[in-house]
Amino acid sequence: MKIEYWHVDAFADRPFAGNQAAVMPLEDWLPDATLQAIAAENMFAETAFLVRDASGATDWELRWFTPTEEVRLCGHATLASGHVMLTEHGGDRVTFRTRRAGNLEVRRSGAGYELALPCIPTERSDWPEAVALLGAQPVEVWLSPDRYGIYLFEDEAQVRALAPDLGGLGALGNDQFICTAPGDSVDVVSRVFVPGGGVDEDSVTGSAHAALTPFWTARLGRDGFTAHQASKRGGDLACRIDGDRAWLGGPCVTVVEGTFYVGG
């Protein structure tokens, strides 16, 4: 079996930056075990699989897999999927039907794209076991029932200096540990750790910014801000809130296009 394959750097205006995703359109859904094996072979934070939406409700059905599991929401691989579909098929917008995150939209915006994700609300809380593993004391902790946690630090330098116990964080479960602070040259800086999901530190995390967007717009008193995820690869996002949606903007770059072979 031959599957079309694109390797895209999302939230990046040049190769070797942003977050890597594989985008793989299928004729029909393959067994879950096969999808998981393909994602493990790719070894990116996410592989996006797409099938034409037979219901006509949206353009494509969309699922995301890390090297170890299927996830309920992934922003950067959705942006990458929008980039591939709009580049290949034209148009100004494309819609995706997902199994656990509802319908999502990617549309052209300037030299890049905008992605609408459902906002992820968090509430002031505490998690001493996780805080003890971060390597520094946050000012505040905000958690959601969907396993997204925001750990607010005083400044960008603290976030950049973090050296968490990744093994210990991973043992706590499949949580996103979103460490954030006011930025020096942008409004908001962050780093995101997901060791329980097979990604020690994510490069640029769309779903984390679906939590950061309502969190920071409320603090900043405005409906938008600029953001930088300070991973090794790094990436920049324009974030704004519109009702219950977080709109995340950024460019994408295709770095590989080819064919993936499944079976002998």
Side-chain angles (χ1 to χ4, degrees):
M1 179 186 296
K2 297 179 180 180
I3 303 174
E4 290 183 288
Y5 170 94
W6 284 266
H7 168 183
V8 176
D9 289 345
F11 296 111
D13 60 1
R14 64 192 186 282
F16 317 126
N19 203 352
Q20 300 165 292
V23 178
M24 303 181 70
L26 307 170
E27 292 294 328
D28 296 290
W29 288 115
L30 300 174
D32 287 3
T34 302
L35 298 178
Q36 188 63 73
I38 293 171
E41 182 74 12
N42 287 335
M43 281 301 293
F44 296 141
E46 304 286 349
T47 295
F49 297 100
L50 301 91
V51 170
R52 278 285 184 188
D53 188 353
S55 75
T58 59
D59 299 308
W60 298 86
E61 296 179 66
L62 174 62
R63 297 170 69 184
W64 313 274
F65 286 75
T66 76
T68 60
E69 63 182 1
E70 184 174 7
V71 297
R72 64 174 296 275
L73 177 64
C74 177
H76 85 275
T78 304
L79 195 76
S81 297
H83 162 72
V84 171
M85 294 301 104
L86 291 173
T87 300
E88 293 298 308
H89 302 289
D92 294 321
R93 63 188 288 272
V94 61
T95 55
F96 302 100
R97 179 161 61 92
T98 74
R99 298 191 173 192
R100 290 183 284 172
N103 295 343
L104 306 179
E105 176 184 346
V106 175
R107 63 192 187 192
R108 296 185 186 275
S109 178
Y113 308 92
E114 268 196 322
L115 160 68
L117 295 180
C119 287
I120 299 172
T122 54
E123 294 184 356
R124 183 75 179 267
S125 186
D126 198 10
W127 192 1
E129 295 85 356
V131 168
L133 298 168
L134 291 176
Q137 181 67 40
V139 177
E140 297 176 13
V141 176
W142 292 66
L143 303 176
S144 85
D146 296 324
R147 309 191 74 103
Y148 294 86
I150 295 177
Y151 301 83
L152 176 65
F153 290 87
E154 290 184 359
D155 54 41
E156 180 173 327
Q158 279 189 308
V159 171
R160 287 185 177 275
L162 289 174
D165 179 344
L166 296 172
L169 291 178
L172 295 177
N174 183 13
D175 292 80
Q176 276 197 17
F177 299 92
I178 307 165
C179 301
T180 187
D184 295 336
S185 58
V186 295
D187 294 320
V188 173
V189 69
S190 67
R191 291 174 67 192
V192 180
F193 306 96
V194 201
V199 182
D200 284 348
E201 180 171 2
D202 203 16
S203 297
V204 189
T205 317
S207 58
H209 285 83
L212 289 171
T213 295
F215 177 84
W216 276 109
T217 53
R219 284 180 172 265
L220 294 170
R222 60 179 192 265
D223 62 4
F225 59 89
T226 57
H228 177 72
Q229 192 157 327
S231 63
K232 183 176 181 180
R233 292 172 64 92
D236 297 295
L237 306 90
C239 304
R240 63 182 178 88
I241 196 165
D242 183 9
D244 64 353
R245 293 275 152 169
W247 283 91
L248 312 178
C252 290
V253 179
T254 298
V255 294
V256 178
E257 181 179 345
T259 303
F260 192 105
Y261 293 88
V262 178

